[in-house]
């Protein structure tokens, strides 16, 4: 068996051991990026090397899984995997998320403590070199707040399907007691609880740093059956949700190369222009956050649509001009 095929077999075995319900051939083919026949051959190789592999009936499909997990030898992480875990924890801590950083750091310690000393000693020089050679560049912006106790209460309510109660405070408004059906949390420049109103079912967002007295309440409160958190998050340019618009931006030839490499939005499409520029199209809400982002492009981006984005951009420019005038007065 060639080295690359052996690595693919181990990779598939790990995926089968990590799945409680097992994998179908279609899932193996999709996850590994290969045809069904190739996936069948790799599955057969896994069954030959790991006799504990089980075939599970799931009409109209069949699934395969490895119960009991794999040995420490087969599961030993690489230096690259460990350093990415370390960097992820560092990024969270640098951005003001000590609770989530501590969770990843704890996972890293558990992984290392489960490794054989010979394997850990072999990886140590590479890990040390990569730690010195790579760091996190912290960008300017608001520091998100994800209080560990608040996250714990939200997660408890989500897992138990219970209502979540809290006091919500917004600048210029009276604090209100809320009781909602929690759907999940979106992490970003600010961290938001996504929840459904218990009476209307309307999906709303609440900033975690404005929530207090958070606790899971008695009763049952589940998200709408058809709610998809990832799809909901993808509607907005940032995190703030408002009316969804068809956005059209024209990028000049000077900025076209960067625009083509930029991930504007999950729904984006790019159209090359005769002058070397590019037109970017996507559907999103969050026009204020988009306007803030467009400031960074200067004269390279022209707003074609929607009109509301133009209005928001003019308002932000006028506000910035007024602030500058006050400093010069």
């Amino acid at each position: 068996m060639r080295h690359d095929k052996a690595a693919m077999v181990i990779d598939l075995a790990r995926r089968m051991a990590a799945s409680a319900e097992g994998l179908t051939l279609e899932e193996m083919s999709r996850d590994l990026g290969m045809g069904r026949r190739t996936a069948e051959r790799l599955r057969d190789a896994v069954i030959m090397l790991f006799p504990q592999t089980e075939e599970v009936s799931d009409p109209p499909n069949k699934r395969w899984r490895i119960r009991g997990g794999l040995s420490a030898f087969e599961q030993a992480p690489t230096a690259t995997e460990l350093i990415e875990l370390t960097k992820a924890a560092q990024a969270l801590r640098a951005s003001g998320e000590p609770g989530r950083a501590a969770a990843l750091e704890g996972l890293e310690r558990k992984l290392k403590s489960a490794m054989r000393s010979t394997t850990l000693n072999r990886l140590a020089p590479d890990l040390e070199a990569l730690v010195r050679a790579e760091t996190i560049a912290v960008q300017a912006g608001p520091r998100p707040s994800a209080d560990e106790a608040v996250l714990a209460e939200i997660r408890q309510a989500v897992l138990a399907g219970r209502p979540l109660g809290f006091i919500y405070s917004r600048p210029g408004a009276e604090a209100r007691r809320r009781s909602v059906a929690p759907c999940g949390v979106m992490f970003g420049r600010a961290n938001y609880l996504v929840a459904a109103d218990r009476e209307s079912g309307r999906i709303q967002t609440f900033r975690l740093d404005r929530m207090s007295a958070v606790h899971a309440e008695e009763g049952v409160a589940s998200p709408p059956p058809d709610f998809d958190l990832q799809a909901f998050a993808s509607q907005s340019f940032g995190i703030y949700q408002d009316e969804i618009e068809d956005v059209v931006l024209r990028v000049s030839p000077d900025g076209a190369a960067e625009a083509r490499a930029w991930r504007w939005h999950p729904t984006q499409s790019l159209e090359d222009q005769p002058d070397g520029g590019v037109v970017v199209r996507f559907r999103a809400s969050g026009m204020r956050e988009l306007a803030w982002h467009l400031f960074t492009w200067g004269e390279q981006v022209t707003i074609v649509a929607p009109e509301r984005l133009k209005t928001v951009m003019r308002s932000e420019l006028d506000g910035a001009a007024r602030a500058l005038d006050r400093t010069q007065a």
Side-chain angles (χ1 to χ4, degrees), residues 13-143:
R14 287 172 175 161
R15 294 174 186 269
M16 291 166 64
S19 175
E21 67 275 10
L23 300 177
T24 65
L25 279 171
E26 288 73 18
E27 291 169 341
M28 296 178 196
S29 175
R30 180 200 64 203
D31 295 348
L32 299 175
M34 59 183 57
R36 181 185 173 94
R37 294 298 300 273
T38 304
E40 287 179 340
R41 290 193 291 269
L42 285 179
R43 177 209 58 193
D44 293 341
V46 169
I47 294 173
M48 180 181 66
L49 292 173
F50 301 93
Q52 68 270 39
T53 303
E54 295 181 345
E55 181 180 303
V56 182
S57 178
D58 182 21
N61 300 308
K62 292 182 179 179
R63 295 180 175 274
W64 288 266
R65 66 186 179 190
I66 299 177
R67 298 192 64 177
L70 303 180
S71 70
F73 169 75
E74 293 147 348
Q75 290 290 73
T78 65
T80 300
E81 292 168 339
L82 285 175
I83 196 61
E84 290 298 341
L85 183 58
T86 299
K87 287 194 299 181
Q90 289 175 346
L92 286 172
R93 193 168 292 281
S95 64
E97 301 263 26
R100 297 171 65 200
L104 289 186
E105 290 163 353
L107 175 60
E108 181 184 5
R109 287 192 297 271
K110 290 176 182 178
L111 284 173
K112 289 182 176 179
S113 65
M115 294 170 61
R116 295 181 179 181
S117 58
T118 53
T119 302
L120 191 57
N121 290 338
R122 175 174 53 82
L123 293 179
D126 290 343
L127 287 172
E128 184 178 355
L130 289 174
V131 167
R132 290 198 306 267
E134 300 180 6
T135 190
I136 303 297
V138 180
Q139 296 181 341
R143 288 164 61 94

Side-chain angles (χ1 to χ4, degrees), residues 143-159:
R143 288 164 61 94
S145 173
D147 182 89
E148 194 170 352
V150 171
L151 279 177
E153 287 292 334
I154 293 173
R155 287 166 175 162
Q156 178 185 345
V158 168
L159 292 174

